[in-house]
Amino acid sequence: MHGIYEKDLDLNLIRVFVVVAEAGSVTEAASRLYLTQPAVSAALRRLTATVGAPLFVRAGRGLALTTRGQRLFASARPHLQALVEAAVSPVAFDPKTSERTVRLGLSDANEAWLLPLLLRVLAEEAPRMKLIVMPVQFRTIEEALVSSAVDLAVTVADELPADMRRLTLFVGGFVCLFDPRHARLGKRLTLERYLEHEHVIVSYNGDLRGVVEDTFGIQRRVRVSVPTFQSIGALVEGSALLATVPERVAREITSLRPNLRMTMLPVEMKLEGAPMELLWRSTVEDDEAIRFMRDLVVRVSETEARPRGV
């Protein structure tokens, strides 16, 4: 492919050639191209020199293509037309008929509540579009976006390159998830009772430190550390373990496991979550399919993901 760029050919000369061939006249071609006749004639001379063979011959008051010119015209015209259309024609995107596949990055805290709702809306508004969901979190999101592993993502994020776009969807707090049949917390969970219990935590570092340890410097009695929120409900149910999780996660878990409950954290632990953001690269800002998917995520988040009181 690189050999194409090594050829000393101004591609604008091809455009001039095609217009002259269509018009059959340098004068008419100059008018169409908004150029002077000498400029058009000079362009034809340069192209003829590059090709190494005559492209036109005089035919009465006009010009006629030579055999070499006819071959060039037959090859160049459709490609030139396609290039012009690609440059100036708006992209046609119809969600009802689009078969586009979008790569969506989701943190594990968002997959359970967001994905089912998103798929239901897609089934109605874009039934042929497909999603490829990739796991992301605050440590991996930058690489996933920069490498184009995902087209957009929903997660928390730290600093990102300036060419990344970000939109806050919501800011949710944390709650304590527990099984009241085994963990007796009383009407109001105190810090003393909170620390008396054993805990299951989510750690992306693979250690015994979670959000409480990092925020307050408090070391809980951690029984098990897991890498995602996926198994939290199963681990808490039937045990006296406590889990400190985002409220949105707790609501999804309790909807599937009605034996579990959630309660406010001790008053000494005012734990606000980081903003949950919609993230994408500036290079896909004008991609209609990805913009459509972004709008859907925002709509679903506005109607379903607003934090509510416990």
Side-chain angles (χ1 to χ4, degrees):
M1 187 67 180
H2 62 84
I4 295 174
Y5 305 108
E6 295 171 358
K7 304 298 183 181
D8 185 15
L9 173 63
D10 182 351
L11 294 181
N12 191 52
L13 301 180
I14 300 295
R15 174 171 171 263
V16 173
F17 163 77
V18 169
V19 175
V20 172
E22 290 177 337
S25 161
V26 169
T27 302
E28 177 62 22
S31 176
R32 295 183 186 181
L33 292 166
Y34 299 99
L35 296 173
T36 64
Q37 293 184 39
V40 173
S41 297
L44 291 180
R45 287 195 296 271
R46 287 177 58 198
L47 181 61
T48 299
T50 301
V51 172
L55 301 174
F56 293 99
V57 293
R58 289 285 178 185
R61 295 185 177 182
L63 295 174
L65 288 166
T66 63
T67 300
R68 183 69 180 86
Q70 289 175 356
R71 283 174 27 215
L72 178 58
F73 181 67
S75 298
R77 186 182 185 187
H79 294 293
L80 182 63
Q81 183 65 30
L83 288 172
V84 171
E85 290 179 356
V88 303
S89 299
V91 177
F93 172 74
D94 181 358
K96 288 292 185 183
T97 59
S98 175
E99 297 184 357
R100 179 73 175 272
T101 297
V102 175
R103 302 177 71 87
L104 174 63
L106 289 179
S107 65
D108 59 302
N110 291 310
E111 184 175 340
W113 71 265
L114 177 59
L115 192 54
L117 297 171
L118 197 58
L119 288 177
R120 283 198 283 272
V121 178
L122 277 177
E124 296 179 359
E125 301 186 18
R128 298 183 183 179
M129 290 189 70
K130 302 174 183 65
L131 284 177
I132 295 177
V133 177
M134 304 288 291
V136 296
Q137 39 103 335
F138 71 98
R139 295 186 185 278
T140 63
I141 181 57
E142 180 177 345
E143 181 181 354
L145 288 169
V146 171
S147 66
S148 300
V150 297
D151 299 311
L152 66 160
V154 179
T155 185
V156 298
D158 294 327
E159 292 298 319
L160 291 174
D163 62 339
M164 298 298 169
R165 300 289 182 262
R166 52 202 306 170
L167 173 68
T168 296
L169 297 175
F170 60 89
V171 179
F174 282 74
V175 297
C176 180
L177 183 72
F178 67 104
D179 188 333
R181 299 170 300 177
H182 300 273
R184 308 296 182 181
L185 302 186
K187 292 183 178 180
R188 168 177 278 184
L189 179 59
T190 65
L191 180 59
E192 180 181 9
R193 186 159 292 180
Y194 178 82
L195 294 177
E196 286 176 351
H197 281 75
E198 291 187 319
H199 294 255
V200 50
I201 70 167
V202 174
S203 171
Y204 297 123
N205 297 321
D207 56 23
L208 298 177
R209 295 181 60 83
V211 65
V212 171
E213 285 73 19
D214 291 339
T215 304
F216 301 106
I218 298 174
Q219 183 59 58
R220 292 168 290 179
R221 297 174 58 204
V222 177
R223 169 59 62 182
V224 59
S225 171
V226 294
T228 72
F229 291 99
Q230 184 176 1
S231 62
I232 291 293
L235 294 174
V236 170
E237 187 165 25
S239 78
L241 293 172
L242 305 186
T244 301
V245 298
E247 182 185 344
R248 184 68 252 181
V249 172
R251 289 192 176 279
E252 291 302 317
I253 292 175
T254 54
S255 69
L256 298 174
R257 297 178 180 272
N259 289 325
L260 300 186
R261 298 288 184 271
M262 55 182 170
T263 187
M264 298 292 291
L265 292 170
V267 293
E268 299 90 339
M269 296 171 54
K270 293 183 179 179
L271 190 57
E272 288 293 330
M276 191 61 63
E277 294 182 294
L278 177 60
L279 308 161
W280 67 96
R281 301 182 306 280
S282 60
T283 53
V284 298
E285 183 76 30
D286 61 346
D287 188 312
E288 291 297 324
I290 296 177
R291 180 181 299 171
F292 171 78
M293 194 64 67
R294 293 201 312 263
D295 291 343
L296 287 192
V297 171
V298 171
R299 281 165 47 194
V300 169
S301 299
E302 287 177 345
T303 57
E304 298 292 339
R306 289 174 180 164
R308 302 181 288 267
V310 179

